Amino acid sequence: MKSSISRQQIYLIVASLALFIFVLLFSFLVLIPAGQEYRVKRFEMKKVAQELREYENFHAETLESLKELQHTNRRIITSFDATFNPKKFERENKKFFSTLRVTSVNFANVEEEFAIYEVNTSSKINSPTNFYDFLDAVNKSDWIIEVNFPIDFKRSGDMIRSSFTMKVYSNNKESNTTASASEAK
């Protein structure tokens, strides 16, 4: 008995079966695991993209806040770079007092970023309003100045004498230059 299947059909069935097995093996061994890995990586990418958006929003908010603070405190920032001149300070504030003397105070433990000055004044006044006008002028000056308490007012006749210390904050460019050069080494 002769079979009705020809040799070409057998080759075609074997080739089809081999191709079918190859497709099944390829899909179960390569495509399905790669698809699962793709889903995991896509989920991770979405998390990273979300974090990136959060950081970009934080950066934008921080930058906006920085620009606003720089605009608001522009005078203070420029005042920080101004060098303190005691003679100019005396000239500008002499009008509030009959005598005004600014002397530098040297302490061993003072930081290099600021200098300390003692201010001695005397005025022919019956109340300390000139002193408060002086404080207003100091707030509007080109320097960052901190007036330290206690402020000593002493009355002698029709004069009120006052004595206090103040800190003048200024960016010491020489010490910063040497510090940054020594840090770079």
Side-chain angles (χ1 to χ4, degrees), residues 13-40:
I13 291 174
V14 170
S16 298
L17 199 58
L19 186 60
F20 180 69
I21 292 173
F22 173 75
V23 168
L24 285 177
L25 288 175
F26 181 75
S27 53
F28 284 114
L29 296 177
V30 177
L31 291 180
I32 292 175
Q36 290 173 345
E37 184 179 330
Y38 168 76
R39 274 181 258 147
V40 169

Side-chain angles (χ1 to χ4, degrees), residues 12-85:
L12 189 59
I13 291 174
V14 170
S16 298
L17 199 58
L19 186 60
F20 180 69
I21 292 173
F22 173 75
V23 168
L24 285 177
L25 288 175
F26 181 75
S27 53
F28 284 114
L29 296 177
V30 177
L31 291 180
I32 292 175
Q36 290 173 345
E37 184 179 330
Y38 168 76
R39 274 181 258 147
V40 169
K41 296 248 187 221
R42 188 179 67 183
F43 179 72
E44 288 175 5
M45 189 187 79
K46 284 183 180 180
K47 281 176 49 178
V48 169
Q50 176 66 28
E51 288 178 10
L52 176 65
R53 277 193 299 277
E54 289 174 6
Y55 285 127
E56 286 174 343
N57 290 341
F58 177 73
H59 176 268
E61 290 171 5
T62 306
L63 183 63
E64 182 180 326
S65 175
L66 173 68
K67 295 294 182 186
E68 182 180 323
L69 285 172
Q70 284 177 334
H71 178 71
T72 305
N73 300 311
R74 179 178 57 243
R75 190 173 105 10
I76 294 171
I77 293 169
T78 56
S79 295
F80 188 69
D81 289 332
T83 0
F84 182 70
N85 184 350

